[in-house]
Amino acid sequence: MKRIAVMTTGGDAPGMNAAIRAVVRTAISKGAGVFGVEHGFKGLLENRFVRMDSHSVSGIINRGGTMLQTMRCPEFHKKNVRKSAYHNIKNMKIDGLAVIGGDGSRRGAHIISKESGVPVVFIPGSIDNDVYGTDYTIGFDTAVNVGLGAIDKIRDTAASHERVFIVEVMGRERGFLALEIGLTGGAEIILIPEFKKEAEIGRICSVLKAGIEKGKDSSIIVMAEGVGLSNKFAERIEKRIGMEARYTVLGYIQRGGSPTAASRRLGLTFGYKAVKALLGQKRGESTMVGIQANTMVVHSLKNVIGKERKIDRQAYRMNEAFSI
Ligand code: ADP
């Protein structure tokens, strides 16, 4: 393999830059040329290839976001549109592609290798941690720590005013981020889409009431965005138990900021491992890198695509035990 291209797609995540740096420098060290594709799949359609050398990834390891930029690209779902991407890849003599992104990007990556034959390696990067085949995605740890910082601050004001505070965090349809932030932030209640019964208003209020009876003067609820709107929950709780309930939506704050050591390390290791895998791949072969039980793994994409990562049910129950 003489020439590879690297791109970031879907939502950005802190640590993606570390992965880009690792891909570029590993490829160069192995004697391959590298191009970056700007704006994700859209950039493939628009021929936005930029030559990368080791200097082009200097000074980015500590920066959040992605230097190659990313965009959602709905038109990539259309087969006839994708054909122009394959034409551009061929024209640029790219013989391997590294795609950094979330679960949606993985589907796009798989289709590219199936239809065009270009070998593809997928690198999981997402603050949501919702990618089957890896225990962690690049950026998750940073987003957890940003959420924790917010909870620690909110706790001060919640305690001073005898309030219930709902903190709504990202995660799309899944609760990985909310569970981790809630557990490590010491939240009384965690509401996630995977535990629907536990998110019923009657049950939430009885847990809060039991806390008040035991002398708790404030409570923190961490809620995943996939459960509903935190302002509505706050209104209903206030009506039912008569305690002031406030909400905060963390939103895009969680995506930004300098990546933690763990997010950088994952980006670097994934990037390195991905290039090593890609250089050995045959035409039509697509893989992904991941970390499972503290060990780096390389999966064939066809074995992992479309599968759903399971939530850690024990962690959820553990938090219930702690919030008595
Ligand atoms: P993420 O990668 O963060 O999960 P998305 O779900 O938005 O983000 O997916 C990113 C992009 O991947 C989409 O904008 C689209 O271009 C591409 N994509 C997702 N699913 C498919 C699919 N089934 N076929 C082709 N492209 C897809």
Side-chain angles (χ1 to χ4, degrees):
M1 209 173 273
K2 293 203 174 65
R3 218 181 228 198
I4 69 162
V6 57
M7 60 198 285
T8 48
T9 65
D12 65 299
M16 281 182 164
N17 279 326
I20 296 169
R21 176 178 183 268
V23 168
V24 170
R25 295 211 170 148
T26 307
I28 292 170
S29 77
K30 305 269 176 212
V34 194
F35 281 79
V37 184
E38 293 173 332
H39 299 170
F41 294 135
K42 203 170 188 72
L44 281 183
L45 301 176
E46 293 173 352
N47 223 353
R48 295 183 69 121
F49 293 89
V50 283
R51 181 88 204 185
M52 308 283 279
D53 57 24
S54 60
H55 186 63
S56 37
V57 289
S58 296
I60 62 167
I61 197 166
N62 55 329
R63 286 185 8 219
T66 155
M67 68 163 296
L68 290 172
Q69 299 189 294
T70 175
M71 250 179 213
R72 310 252 185 227
C73 179
E75 60 269 41
F76 211 73
H77 286 266
K78 296 188 189 127
K79 191 170 181 174
N80 61 333
V81 173
R82 290 195 295 268
K83 276 186 191 152
S84 65
Y86 308 148
H87 172 81
N88 293 338
I89 291 171
K90 199 169 174 192
N91 212 25
M92 288 298 294
K93 298 188 168 55
I94 302 293
D95 38 21
L97 193 61
V99 177
I100 308 168
D103 204 41
S105 308
R106 177 162 72 175
R107 282 193 291 275
H110 189 225
I111 285 176
I112 291 175
S113 87
K114 267 206 315 200
E115 290 178 346
S116 72
V118 175
V120 175
V121 63
F122 168 74
I123 301 173
S126 162
I127 63 161
D128 303 329
N129 210 25
D130 59 349
V131 180
Y132 180 89
T134 187
D135 295 343
Y136 294 103
T137 51
I138 299 167
F140 176 67
D141 183 72
T142 306
V144 168
N145 280 290
V146 170
L148 272 185
I151 293 214
D152 291 348
K153 291 186 181 84
I154 284 167
R155 189 178 288 287
D156 293 343
T157 177
S160 315
H161 292 278
E162 300 196 341
R163 275 177 182 163
V164 177
F165 244 106
I166 306 181
V167 183
E168 183 184 317
V169 305
M170 288 183 133
R172 300 209 276 194
E173 298 307 311
R174 303 303 308 274
F176 298 104
L177 199 51
L179 178 55
E180 201 60 27
I181 293 172
L183 180 64
T184 55
E188 275 72 19
I189 299 176
I190 301 173
L191 306 177
I192 53 175
E194 292 85 352
F195 282 79
K196 284 208 167 54
K197 263 198 189 151
E198 283 75 359
E200 279 167 11
I201 198 78
R203 181 251 169 196
I204 297 170
C205 291
S206 63
V207 173
L208 291 172
K209 269 193 212 149
I212 295 167
E213 275 158 27
K214 273 182 261 162
K216 270 196 183 181
D217 50 13
S218 67
S219 290
I220 302 237
I221 301 176
V222 172
M223 173 179 165
E225 63 181 350
V227 171
L229 296 170
S230 50
N231 57 344
K232 297 276 174 247
F233 273 77
E235 266 173 35
R236 289 158 77 193
I237 288 169
E238 196 163 305
K239 259 192 205 141
R240 281 213 189 195
I241 63 168
M243 193 175 191
E244 251 188 86
R246 294 287 180 267
Y247 69 94
T248 299
V249 182
L250 293 189
Y252 285 102
I253 287 173
Q254 283 162 103
R255 278 198 192 284
S258 187
T260 58
S263 289
R264 295 181 199 195
R265 181 68 153 87
L266 207 57
L268 296 173
T269 315
F270 278 179
Y272 175 76
K273 189 87 181 169
V275 170
K276 285 186 54 171
L278 184 61
L279 294 180
Q281 282 171 222
K282 297 189 194 66
R283 271 195 76 71
E285 202 179 346
S286 58
T287 59
M288 76 167 265
V289 291
I291 186 161
Q292 290 180 310
N294 277 328
T295 307
M296 289 298 302
V297 290
V298 179
H299 296 292
S300 179
L301 266 195
K302 63 178 184 309
N303 295 336
V304 290
I305 208 104
K307 290 189 181 164
E308 197 170 82
R309 199 165 109 73
K310 297 261 180 299
I311 197 93
D312 184 350
R313 304 189 79 80
Q314 193 178 318
Y316 191 87
R317 295 297 175 214
M318 189 158 80
N319 197 66
E320 285 182 325
F322 296 156
S323 54
I324 46 170

